Amino acid sequence: GAVVSQHPSWVICKSGTSVKIECRSLDFQATTMFWYRQFPKQSLMLMATSNEGSKATYEQGVEKDKFLINHASLTLSTLTVTSAHPEDSSFYICSANRVYGYTFGSGTRLTVV
Amino acid sequence: EDKVVQSPLSLVVHEGDTVTLNCSYEVTNFRSLLWYKQEKKAPTFLFMLTSSGIEKKSGRLSSILDKKELFSILNITATQTGDSAIYLCAVAKNSGGSNYKLTFGKGTLLTVNP
């Protein structure tokens, strides 16, 4: 079945540094991937839509310069949290669309200290 | 503004009980409604519903959509402790093309006690 691999599964970084999260579609090509964040006990909030070969589309209130998205190939999208701060600590999940519904990556737990 | 509202927000039951989780929505250009189960990590797909009145079943889980009243229910019969999770309802809307955004509800936290 369709598999989306996300890496790393967890990361701790110092405040002010940047962190890159990768999302790969392993057995299908994904022209579009979606990035979500989830705070504890809250639902998934869409951050941006990643489009292969073009600029990402960001949701209202999401800083595009802080959350850099690159979708350079049909199987890889990356999210870079730049100059991370403790308030960026969250669970980040990517997903891609399949005909029977969306498939999610395993998520990345980011902790900024 | 699109809305997806789930109820209850949390629920505690005993093994063997039957539960019904609710999801109502207000979305323009509705495409489909999806149910996911989220344990410790990413959500896992349960059902995708596009047509009213057609029940989808998978083992002890079933779901149905009412597009006139704009809601869906997820039923779990003979609950087991392994059913404990957050159940997320999401609605996809047509936005042109084959890829479309999902709007998630806040989820229902189900706890099944032995």
Side-chain angles (χ1 to χ4, degrees):
Chain A
V3 176
V4 174
S5 173
Q6 190 171 340
H7 178 81
S9 55
W10 60 269
V11 58
I12 300 173
C13 70
K14 290 185 178 181
S15 190
T17 61
S18 295
V19 173
K20 181 186 280 188
I21 302 169
E22 292 188 349
C23 182
R24 293 181 185 272
S25 55
L26 295 185
D27 54 355
F28 66 102
Q29 293 182 331
T31 56
T32 301
M33 290 188 178
F34 299 89
W35 287 95
Y36 296 85
R37 69 187 295 182
Q38 185 178 34
F39 291 107
K41 298 186 180 179
Q42 294 191 25
S43 192
L44 280 75
M45 296 297 295
L46 180 64
M47 298 175 65
T49 303
S50 171
N51 304 298
E52 187 268 335
S54 64
K55 290 183 179 179
T57 306
Y58 290 82
E59 295 300 300
Q60 194 172 10
V62 178
E63 299 175 60
K64 60 179 70 175
D65 294 331
K66 180 165 186 63
F67 299 100
L68 300 178
I69 291 173
N70 184 279
H71 196 152
S73 78
L74 288 171
T75 59
L76 175 64
S77 175
T78 61
L79 168 68
T80 301
V81 183
T82 63
S83 187
H85 288 104
E87 57 264 31
D88 298 324
S89 299
S90 188
F91 190 55
Y92 294 86
I93 313 176
C94 65
S95 76
N97 179 32
R98 299 298 288 152
V99 290
Y100 52 79
Y102 280 77
T103 298
F104 286 86
S106 56
T108 298
R109 174 79 56 194
L110 171 63
T111 302
V112 185
V113 297
Chain B
E1 184 182 339
D2 297 333
K3 286 183 187 177
V4 178
V5 179
Q6 290 186 247
S7 65
L9 292 181
S10 66
L11 187 58
V12 180
V13 300
H14 291 290
E15 268 193 317
D17 289 350
T18 294
V19 297
T20 298
L21 309 182
N22 304 292
C23 177
S24 63
Y25 62 92
E26 292 178 31
V27 172
T28 54
N29 297 318
F30 173 87
R31 183 184 184 117
S32 59
L33 185 144
L34 300 97
W35 284 96
Y36 289 89
K37 177 182 182 182
Q38 185 178 25
E39 295 174 88
K40 292 185 178 178
K41 291 195 172 179
T44 53
F45 173 80
L46 294 176
F47 299 110
M48 181 169 72
L49 304 161
T50 54
S51 302
S52 265
I54 299 175
E55 185 183 53
K56 292 209 171 182
K57 284 183 70 80
S58 177
R60 297 176 293 103
L61 277 67
S62 63
S63 184
I64 197 163
L65 173 67
D66 185 327
K67 290 169 74 173
K68 183 180 176 185
E69 300 298 328
L70 308 182
F71 78 90
S72 174
I73 59 172
L74 175 68
N75 277 324
I76 308 175
T77 59
T79 52
Q80 302 171 357
T81 55
D83 295 327
S84 297
I86 297 172
Y87 290 84
L88 295 168
C89 171
V91 174
K93 54 188 294 180
N94 285 311
S95 54
S98 59
N99 289 289
Y100 37 86
K101 296 180 184 179
L102 295 181
T103 299
F104 281 87
K106 290 188 176 182
T108 294
L109 174 60
L110 174 65
T111 304
V112 181
N113 290 325

